Amino acid sequence: MITFNGVTKRYADGTVAVDDLNLEVPTGEMTVFVGPSGCGKTTSLRMINRMIDPSGGQLLLDGVDVTTIDPPTLRRGIGYVIQQAGLFPHRKIVDNVATVPLLLGWDRKKARARAMELLERVGLDPKMAGRYPFQLSGGQQQRVGVARALAADPPVLLMDEPFSAVDPIVRTSLQDELLRLQAELNKTIVFVTHDIDEAMKLGDRVAVLRVGGRLAQLDDPATLLAR
Ligand code: ADP
Ligand code: ADP
């Protein structure tokens, strides 16, 4: 479980990006942070894996203050997917995914087998495995990004607008596949989007943020819709 205990982030220029955020992200569920641009979604996400540290309050991972965990150790248990998949351009798709298991000390053959299995799970045509990122569409690259984030089998997955840059039809199928994958994997997911429809479709729970970094609502989609 991820717990925001009165978390505040004030940047050096005085901008308060996140203001006294209190919420829990339950283990094995997908919680979506939704709200307009600038409401502190990315900042909230980045405090979980210590790309940024809070200026106030506490952020706990299974009860442990994340700022007491060194970032490499923390990130071993946290997959991270961003809007532009950020694949290594000079490595084949299979090797992009195998990189993480290799870093963990797996031998090359086993790491590649793991990569191929993951690519299949995220719905990528196996023919693409030997290609380079620039030869894939944006939607295919995002699938690879998800596979890479899952490579070390982290319990936590952070997803920052992962499908926002792909066209609507592909986006719908990526969303469907994420739901299918999550039904099997039960990761603890924090998913950030500005798209309320996406939030309602994907979230077990939806946290609505407003500009100024305050939590406006937090509930399951059915309850939010009924309001
Ligand atoms: P969102 O992801 O919801 O668009 P962000 O977390 O990116 O929101 O940003 C929240 C607020 O913090 C915005 O006003 C943004 O301009 C500001 N901000 C983000 N990063 C920085 C930074 N490094 N320095 C100063 N202000 C920042
Ligand atoms: P550097 O700037 O020293 O390369 P990065 O912050 O980019 O360090 O991180 C190094 C590696 O960790 C990169 O492969 C990057 O994709 C990955 N990474 C970066 N941030 C995170 C994160 N928050 N969680 C998991 N992996 C991350």
Side-chain angles (χ1 to χ4, degrees), residues 9-18 33-46 52 160-161 192-194 209 211-213:
K9 178 62 191 184
R10 179 190 295 271
Y11 284 108
D13 67 358
T15 305
V16 177
V18 175
F33 286 21
V34 68
S37 177
C39 71
K41 303 182 295 296
T42 295
T43 300
S44 301
L45 198 75
R46 290 182 173 171
I52 311 170
D160 193 349
E161 303 263 9
V192 162
T193 181
H194 62 270
L209 301 179
V211 175

Side-chain angles (χ1 to χ4, degrees), residues 1 12 17-18 39 43-44 57 64 66-68 93 95 130 139 149 165 172 182 184 211:
M1 181 164 69
V18 175
C39 71
T43 300
S44 301
V64 180
V66 293
T67 63
T68 66
I93 295 305
D95 294 321
T172 299
Q182 171 65 350
E184 289 171 30
V211 175

